[in-house]
Amino acid sequence: MSYEILVGLHVLDDLKYNDYRTAMKPILTDYEGSFGYDFTVSEVLISPANNHSDINRVFTINFSSKNKMEGFFSDAQYLVVKERYFVESVGSAIIIASYEK
């Protein structure tokens, strides 16, 4: 069984966000993680939270376990990459769902 999260982002800078994805990918692999689906979206029709109506990127990210996911998001190297690229390139992020798969 694996663990997956469905994420919505408001990406402000596509180039810097792509740099983030490139830099974090080896760390993600170390934690047995991978991307599943990845969509660029142009319009949010319904959103339960008004502050997330500007989502323009939706993707799934998979891990072999919930513990691996938690380890990844708290990894010191990942946090450096996040600070360097993600913070400036993404205006908002929301976990839409998380579940065992």
Side-chain angles (χ1 to χ4, degrees):
M1 193 170 306
S2 63
Y3 196 78
E4 183 171 82
I5 56 177
L6 176 62
V7 181
L9 302 179
H10 179 209
V11 176
L12 303 171
D13 183 334
D14 286 324
L15 293 176
K16 193 157 195 148
Y17 182 73
N18 286 338
D19 290 342
Y20 161 75
R21 283 277 187 107
T22 300
M24 59 82 83
K25 192 117 182 186
I27 305 164
L28 180 65
T29 301
D30 287 346
Y31 282 90
E32 301 172 8
S34 62
F35 289 99
Y37 290 97
D38 191 359
F39 305 101
T40 299
V41 297
S42 60
E43 184 178 9
V44 175
L45 301 176
I46 298 172
S47 173
N50 289 337
N51 60 342
H52 294 292
S53 60
D54 52 0
I55 292 171
N56 59 10
R57 188 81 174 248
V58 177
F59 61 90
T60 59
I61 187 168
N62 309 285
F63 293 89
S64 59
S65 70
K66 186 175 183 181
N67 286 340
K68 291 286 187 180
M69 180 203 67
E70 291 168 347
F72 169 75
F73 285 113
S74 63
D75 181 272
Q77 287 181 294
Y78 169 74
L79 293 174
V80 169
V81 169
K82 181 180 177 184
E83 184 64 32
R84 182 170 181 190
Y85 299 106
F86 186 87
V87 171
E88 291 182 19
S89 65
V90 175
S92 63
I94 184 169
I95 305 267
I96 298 169
S98 58
Y99 42 87
E100 288 185 351
K101 188 172 175 187

